[in-house]
Amino acid sequence: MKSETLQEQEYQKRQENEKDQKGQINSLRENPLGTEPVGKLLRQFAVPSIISMLVMSFYNIVDQFFIGQTVGELGNAATNIAFPMTTMCIAAALAFGIGGASGFNLNMGAGNEKKAVYFIGNAASMVLIVGVFIAVVCQIFLRPLLIFFGSPDTVMPYAVEYMRIIAIGFPFAIGSASGAHLIRADGSPKFSMVCNLIGAAINVVLDYLFVMRFGWGMSGAAIATVIGQVISYGIVIWYLLHYKTVKIERRHFLPQRAIVFRTLHLGMAQCLNQIAIMVVQIVLNKSLTHYGAMSVYGESIPLACSGIIMKVNQVYFSVCIGIAQGIQPIASFNRGAAAFTRVKQTYKLAVTCNTIISVVAFIAFQTIPRQIISIFGQGTPEYFEFAEKFFRIFLFMTFLNGIQPITSTFCTVIGEPNKGTFLSLTRQIIFLLPLLVVMPLLFINLGKEGIEGIMFSAPIADFGAALVSVIMIRKIFRGFDQQMSADRKA
């Protein structure tokens, strides 16, 4: 009797395995994510994602440009002081955008459509709730926050004027940024791109009118940004109500604890990476103010220059992150369907693209830094001297910087968010943050200016993050190979 029972259990187990395999095969056949060439899919999803990310970075670049032309150095410094709150909004958008999209595609790839749709609805609801919360906190504690972010007294009035208005748009900014990922997960990357492009175009036109023509200064730039974000968010809401692959009903928008926690788990790597950037930005601002005051550059020049350079670097990095986000639906779906070869192909192609782009950016940052910084207005000889040094030293390892975001995102979207979270913290928290504290002191002890130690912190951190990413991906690929070998034997 016992033997017959064991035989029955083994037979049922085989039947279930065959059923799962058939479901995965059918899922692959029914969805182009499982059948189209990986290169074609990456172009389809990455190009619109790159454009969307560039649009997000241009929101800040456009403000910086018009403010630099009219308000000047103190206005540029003010946008840099305000940047940590913008980074916080991006963190929230990625947590629910990447997390919701990954949860949706992983479940769709595994044939679990009923559960998948809740990831989209819950993500859309939570970003609105979080956006309102951040906006309220910012309005109530604005001045203490700006002081904490490192604002000198000379910059404070400009930062307050700008942030009072920008904060009103936080719910719309988070909603439109996260919505781009949810739309892309539905197989509509071009619509996602158009949504962001419309908001950006409106922002540029209104920036020109409000700042250059009407003379509204910091307030004009902020109002233009908020209007663009509101319109983008409205387009996102329209799309979610007309989703293609599944029908989203009212019940799907009601937050469920298990879905929200899993969404945050899947999106935590990208979220923590942005929070880490915010923390580093605050420490960097404070360090630049402190050590700048001890140098020939003073307080405001390092703040203004680093703000511009960080946003220029963000333009390059937006391309890298756009490619990383482009792999999300491809890698998630094929991992859910256990198509490991396609998952590996996706990563290898993406990291190759990122490396090529990183080398091009490295050449530009090393050869034409003065021409780049001149786009954002004029300054003193000390201003340009600092900007050129900061460009060349702080961003010296740019040619390696495409590896870490691809690897971190890849880990998350294949359902290993813990590894992705660890990798997202390597560059900013594990390496750069301690170096920003130690390196200036080391340089002072060597008889040099502390502000130079700040510049050399970044390339060391970049190298360490790239090295850890390479070690991690080799380990993950070995696991894929072992799984494929076990599947063949079974």
Side-chain angles (χ1 to χ4, degrees), residues 174-490:
I174 297 172
S176 59
S178 64
H181 300 288
L182 304 181
I183 292 170
R184 196 178 302 117
D186 192 39
S188 299
K190 290 182 180 178
F191 190 95
S192 171
M193 173 188 70
V194 170
C195 171
N196 285 320
L197 277 175
I198 291 172
I202 290 169
N203 182 33
V204 171
V205 173
L206 294 181
D207 253 326
Y208 174 75
L209 288 174
F210 296 165
V211 181
M212 302 296 286
R213 291 297 182 184
F214 299 169
W216 292 354
M218 304 295 293
S219 296
I223 293 168
T225 299
V226 171
I227 292 173
Q229 291 166 346
V230 169
I231 292 171
S232 288
Y233 181 63
I235 298 171
V236 167
I237 294 298
W238 180 89
Y239 186 93
L240 293 179
L241 298 176
H242 299 83
Y243 221 64
K244 292 191 309 185
T245 50
V246 294
K247 181 177 174 55
I248 306 177
E249 299 174 357
R250 183 180 298 177
R251 58 194 172 94
H252 298 133
F253 290 101
L254 298 175
Q256 294 187 8
R257 181 180 296 180
I259 298 293
V260 172
F261 283 177
R262 180 58 176 164
T263 298
L264 286 172
H265 195 201
L266 289 169
M268 192 52 63
Q270 283 68 32
C271 175
L272 288 179
N273 186 49
Q274 291 298 317
I275 292 175
I277 290 172
M278 182 187 74
V279 172
V280 168
Q281 184 70 42
I282 294 168
V283 174
L284 180 62
N285 286 347
K286 287 178 175 290
S287 299
L288 288 170
T289 302
H290 176 71
Y291 292 107
M294 298 165 60
S295 71
V296 296
Y297 305 113
E299 291 181 334
S300 62
I301 285 177
L303 274 179
C305 290
S306 68
I308 294 170
I309 292 165
M310 290 299 97
K311 287 171 185 176
V312 170
N313 185 56
Q314 188 186 32
V315 173
Y316 142 72
F317 215 60
S318 293
V319 180
C320 294
I321 294 174
I323 293 173
Q325 292 176 357
I327 72 173
Q328 182 270 310
I330 310 166
S332 292
F333 183 89
N334 285 284
R335 178 62 185 89
F340 295 109
T341 300
R342 287 176 63 82
V343 176
K344 291 170 67 176
Q345 287 176 346
T346 302
Y347 174 85
K348 290 177 180 178
L349 182 58
V351 83
T352 300
C353 293
N354 260 14
T355 301
I356 293 170
I357 291 161
S358 297
V359 170
V360 173
F362 167 78
I363 294 170
F365 295 161
Q366 293 300 311
T367 57
I368 54 170
R370 188 182 183 94
Q371 290 85 336
I372 295 172
I373 201 75
S374 296
I375 296 171
F376 300 93
Q378 297 302 309
T380 62
E382 291 80 11
Y383 174 87
F384 283 108
E385 178 188 343
F386 182 85
E388 289 185 39
K389 289 178 68 174
F390 201 87
F391 249 124
R392 290 194 171 114
I393 299 173
F394 199 82
L395 302 179
F396 183 76
M397 284 290 173
T398 296
F399 59 90
L400 291 178
N401 282 352
I403 299 173
Q404 189 257 2
I406 284 285
T407 311
S408 174
T409 301
F410 180 78
C411 291
T412 298
V413 303
I414 63 170
E416 299 201 35
N418 292 338
K419 290 186 174 80
T421 300
F422 170 73
L423 286 177
S424 71
L425 296 176
T426 51
R427 196 262 180 185
Q428 304 292 342
I429 298 298
I430 297 175
F431 294 121
L432 184 54
L433 193 59
L435 287 169
L436 284 174
V437 176
V438 173
M439 290 293 285
L441 299 175
L442 178 62
F443 270 63
I444 290 173
N445 288 334
L446 293 174
K448 299 182 179 181
E449 290 189 333
I451 202 160
E452 289 192 22
I454 295 174
M455 298 182 197
F456 281 95
S457 301
I460 299 171
D462 292 336
F463 178 79
L467 180 62
V468 173
S469 296
V470 170
I471 294 170
M472 182 71 77
I473 198 63
R474 287 171 64 87
K475 182 178 179 181
I476 289 171
F477 278 7
R478 281 198 298 269
F480 285 171
D481 293 338
Q482 291 170 1
Q483 184 65 50
M484 286 189 288
S485 177
D487 290 344
R488 282 194 293 269
K489 290 178 182 178

Side-chain angles (χ1 to χ4, degrees), residues 74 143 147 150-159 289 299 303:
L74 292 177
R143 283 184 176 275
I147 292 171
S151 177
D153 292 339
T154 54
V155 176
M156 180 64 76
Y158 299 94
T289 302
E299 291 181 334
L303 274 179

